[in-house]
Amino acid sequence: MSAAVRASKRMPSSCSGRSEMSELTVALTAGPCPSPWGEPVAVARLKAQPEDFVVEEQLGFEPTGEGEHLWLWVEKRGMNTDALSRELAAQLGVSAALVSFSGMKDRQALTRQWFSVHSTALWTLGDDWLSAEGGQYRVLRAERGARKLRRGAHAANRFCITLRDVRGEPEAIETRLQLLAAQGIANYFGPQRFGHGGRNIGQGLALLANRRSGRARRRDNRESLWISALRSALFNQVLASRVRNQTWAACLAGDVLQLDGRSALFKPDPLDVEIAPRLARGELHPTGPLPGDGASVVDDAVLAFEAEVLAPWQGICADLAALRVPAQRRSLRLMLQAPSWHWPSPDTLVIEFTLTAGAFATSVLQAVAVLEEGQLDAISAE
């Protein structure tokens, strides 16, 4: 049993008090998540400069070429996605509510992603970088589209990450990278989902406490982020437990599986002899819960296992169900698409890979190296 689970079992069931919420935040985010592959084999420095962390969004489709929405393919550095969204709205003279994007991209990085603007305006392309809110951006393409770009619509993100001042045995690092490329990683939500010091979880707990007590609270457009942080932390607890008992990539009685890179779930036939080989090849993955409203789709051993792991937080699960947040499942394992790496110099490692939307590059990097303090909060792309 993890320290987080032991600590949380000693806590009162109510989380309405500030001290109790603080303890729950610590319990849900305590320590690094366990890796199936053991401790990291190196120490490295990340993000010495924005170009050390390059993210390119992959939609999986193209704008239609006509319609009432202006679609912009934008490269940015030194600013986050929300800031750029506001900047584009100001430049086009429209409300920020009319600007849409699919995924949040990090501020301290060089990123490329699509935005859509409900506007008949045109955008004149140019090679010069434009400055805004402490960062820079430039629009590389402008197309017309029939519909707005919706959150989570993109298929994947391509990463090119440079680790500097790498300390470790090159042979051990190479072996670890080959292992990750062949067998994948545990599909944890990264620490940036929870905010600095777990603040998003704390806000989510406060929101649930206010809803439960009937106290009025001013609505905040970040509420969905806070609720998502709670569900993500609970998922990480289940995944960590399955990593510890070495079943994170195995099919247990009652499991629901997911095809690699797909969202659809299915219940395997226990007599299907192809399930185990397909799991071994990374074509199928077991799933874990994102708690919410709705009956569990797992049963037997998995239902009992998840109930035991989540028992300390049943009050949170009940509150999420009362909010009518739909219960969902997420793959426990994540495969790297088209991974590659090279050493430009003896202490510099460049790693490239593609991850499905919603996956965290943090989980890949932490399986290889301990990243120098102060860097993890900024490693994200959704």
Side-chain angles (χ1 to χ4, degrees):
M1 184 185 300
S2 71
V5 171
R6 289 196 300 271
S8 59
K9 285 189 174 180
R10 295 194 296 269
M11 296 176 194
S13 58
S14 169
C15 60
S16 58
R18 184 177 299 275
S19 63
E20 292 169 6
M21 286 189 287
S22 176
E23 290 176 344
L24 278 168
T25 299
V26 171
L28 286 170
T29 58
C33 295
S35 168
W37 313 124
E39 295 299 317
V41 293
V43 177
R45 184 161 60 101
L46 178 68
K47 293 196 173 185
Q49 55 196 30
E51 287 76 11
D52 285 351
F53 196 83
V54 179
V55 187
E56 183 164 303
E57 188 174 83
Q58 298 181 345
L59 275 185
F61 61 91
E62 283 287 315
T64 60
E66 57 183 19
E68 59 188 25
H69 295 267
L70 175 64
W71 283 51
L72 302 173
W73 176 243
V74 187
E75 184 175 52
K76 67 174 181 65
R77 61 187 179 196
M79 62 190 308
N80 64 32
T81 301
D82 278 330
L84 181 52
S85 177
R86 294 190 296 270
E87 167 66 12
L88 295 176
Q91 289 291 334
L92 292 167
V94 301
S95 165
L98 297 180
V99 182
S100 303
F101 51 85
S102 180
M104 296 290 291
K105 302 294 183 287
D106 186 60
R107 179 172 66 90
Q108 295 301 335
L110 179 67
T111 73
R112 290 180 283 272
Q113 70 180 115
W114 281 101
F115 291 80
S116 73
V117 187
H118 195 179
S119 171
T120 58
L122 300 176
W123 189 285
T124 302
L125 299 179
D127 293 331
D128 294 336
W129 288 90
L130 305 175
S131 297
E133 298 202 26
Q136 295 177 304
Y137 72 98
R138 57 183 177 181
V139 177
L140 305 178
R141 285 180 61 190
E143 306 285 350
R144 303 303 305 183
R147 293 182 175 85
K148 67 180 287 187
L149 180 58
R150 299 193 178 277
R151 292 299 294 268
H154 63 296
N157 292 295
R158 182 70 181 173
F159 296 86
C160 180
I161 299 171
T162 301
L163 299 178
R164 301 186 186 277
D165 300 332
V166 180
R167 286 92 77 194
E169 292 295 330
E171 184 175 324
I173 296 171
E174 185 74 19
T175 299
R176 179 60 57 86
L177 289 169
Q178 290 175 352
L179 184 61
L180 301 185
Q183 300 190 41
I185 61 168
N187 193 19
Y188 291 114
F189 287 94
Q192 64 275 18
R193 172 58 59 93
F194 310 121
H196 182 70
R199 61 172 176 253
N200 290 342
I201 290 179
Q203 291 284 8
L205 292 170
L207 174 63
L208 294 183
N210 282 325
R211 294 284 180 87
R212 192 185 321 113
S213 66
R215 291 193 297 269
R217 178 186 173 106
R218 188 175 65 182
R219 291 194 63 82
D220 192 299
N221 59 12
R222 295 170 293 179
E223 288 183 0
S224 62
L225 173 65
W226 300 335
I227 293 300
S228 177
L230 286 175
R231 301 173 78 209
S232 301
L234 295 172
F235 171 88
N236 277 6
Q237 293 293 319
V238 173
L239 174 52
S241 295
R242 288 193 63 161
V243 167
R244 292 187 187 98
N245 67 17
Q246 300 180 12
T247 64
W248 69 290
C251 182
L252 304 180
D255 250 328
V256 169
L257 303 182
Q258 191 173 60
L259 287 167
D260 185 54
R262 305 288 184 86
S263 59
L265 305 173
F266 75 96
K267 207 166 188 93
D269 182 343
L271 300 179
D272 188 347
V273 297
E274 287 299 313
I275 294 297
R278 295 183 70 188
L279 282 164
R281 293 193 298 266
E283 298 173 6
L284 301 175
H285 311 295
T287 61
L290 291 166
D293 184 37
S296 177
V297 295
V298 298
D299 53 32
D300 294 340
V302 174
L303 181 62
F305 177 83
E306 292 181 357
E308 180 181 5
V309 174
L310 295 177
W313 301 291
Q314 275 306 304
I316 297 175
C317 294
D319 287 342
L320 290 170
L323 286 179
R324 296 293 186 263
V325 178
Q328 296 172 303
R329 306 286 295 182
R330 173 182 169 95
S331 170
L332 297 180
R333 180 170 56 176
L334 176 66
M335 303 302 292
L336 282 60
Q337 302 171 22
S340 66
W341 55 88
H342 66 278
W343 296 82
S345 66
D347 65 348
T348 302
L349 173 62
V350 177
I351 310 174
E352 296 188 52
F353 51 83
T354 297
L355 300 180
T356 53
F360 287 75
T362 305
S363 299
V364 179
L365 300 176
Q366 286 186 318
V368 179
V370 174
L371 303 177
E372 290 187 332
E373 185 176 355
Q375 303 301 313
L376 281 182
D377 282 348
I379 306 172
S380 64
E382 295 186 32

